[in-house]
Structure formats: structure tokens, C-alpha cells
Amino acid sequence: SQGVTHYRWIGPVRGPVIVAVHGLTTPSPVFDNLAGYLGGLGYRTLVYDLYGRGYSDAAPGPQNEAFFLRQLDDLLADQGLTDDVILMGYSMGGAIACAFAAAQSHRVARIILLASAGMNVAESRFWAISRRVPVAGNWLAGTFGARQIAAEAASGTAIGKVQRAQA
């Protein structure tokens, strides 16, 4: 609705959908190799260029959260994707993916963050120990992690309370 969005599908015609959101300065081809690999695993990956990058229009207006969320929402609607997408965000795309999931959690099955920007994560003691202690930490996270995530979500503390970075 704000301009032309260049997009491509990579992978099989059927399968779980991953929507790849690139970073501030890297257009969608940054995902080509990874999307090809994911296609080999049966995932369909939708890659697109954010406005003002790659082959998408340089749409007018402030490039803020609402601007990029509207673009993503428009693209998903255009492609008939209503729910259960996996959002994969790289760099600034991670901040966009998180903001979209926060606004429309019913449409997002999972989030994958790759070198995400724009977030400050406060790690709980459980996750700090799980991450720092070799072998035992992996066992701890694998055995009790799902329960811990559910408890943190119920209490409002989440896995690593995400706070918006100050501009």
C-alpha cells in the first residue's frame, strides 16, 4: 500500500513458510544461500526487500516501526499468508520481526533472530546458567527449558525480557 515490494519465493511449493526480513543495509539476496538450504529441508522461504532497499520502492514517509510493519502486513496479505508463519529477522529485520510478532502474535508460529538489532535482552539466571555451563547447560535447557519458558511467559518475565532500545 506504500509502494512496490520486491519479493521472491525460494524452496518447495508446499511446506512450512519462513518469511525472511533483512537488515538495514543488506537487501534480500543476503538470504539466498540460507533459503536454498531451508528449501532442501522442506521450508518455503519468502524473501523481500524492505522499502528503500534492493528492488523495492523508496516509499515516502518516516521509516519507523509502523512503516515496516505495514509493509510486512501488506506482503503477507498479498501472498495469502494469514497465520502460522515463521519470521526470520536479520539485524534490523529482527527488530521488525519481534515488533510484528508482538502486534500480531496469532499469526506467528516462531521467530528466528540472526544477529538481531534494536533490542536489549535481560537474561534470567536459569538461561544464563544454561548458556554458560557446557554440556550440563544444554541438558538443563533441553530438559526444563520449555517449562521455564511457560513459567516466565505466565509471570510476564519472558525468556529474556525484551525491552525497546532507546533511540
Side-chain angles (χ1 to χ4, degrees):
S1 63
Q2 301 171 96
V4 174
T5 296
H6 172 77
Y7 68 90
R8 294 174 294 130
W9 282 98
I10 300 172
V13 175
R14 290 181 176 75
V17 174
I18 297 176
V19 180
V21 188
H22 67 76
L24 178 67
T25 61
T26 52
S28 63
V30 72
F31 289 116
D32 285 355
N33 290 338
L34 179 56
Y37 176 76
L38 292 168
L41 296 175
Y43 291 93
R44 301 171 54 208
T45 303
L46 175 61
V47 299
Y48 73 101
D49 289 326
L50 295 171
Y51 286 134
R53 289 138 183 99
Y55 294 112
S56 288
D57 282 351
Q63 293 193 6
N64 57 21
E65 181 177 301
F67 179 81
F68 290 115
L69 293 186
R70 184 171 176 190
Q71 181 187 22
L72 179 54
D73 189 50
D74 288 346
L75 177 63
L76 296 179
D78 179 73
Q79 295 300 296
L81 301 172
T82 57
D83 58 8
D84 292 334
V85 298
I86 300 167
L87 292 179
M88 179 170 61
Y90 168 65
S91 190
M92 182 180 83
I96 294 168
C98 286
F100 187 87
Q104 300 193 43
S105 61
H106 62 283
R107 297 176 69 185
V108 180
R110 289 191 175 104
I111 299 177
I112 301 168
L113 301 176
L114 308 169
S116 186
M119 297 177 14
N120 180 14
V121 178
E123 186 173 54
S124 74
R125 183 176 167 96
F126 173 85
W127 294 107
I129 292 168
S130 295
R131 184 177 51 78
R132 291 185 191 134
V133 179
V135 182
N138 290 343
W139 175 84
L140 184 65
T143 305
F144 300 105
R147 211 172 318 161
Q148 182 68 21
I149 290 170
E152 290 175 354
S155 72
T157 60
I159 189 169
K161 187 187 254 180
V162 176
Q163 304 165 342
R164 294 194 186 274
Q166 296 297 319

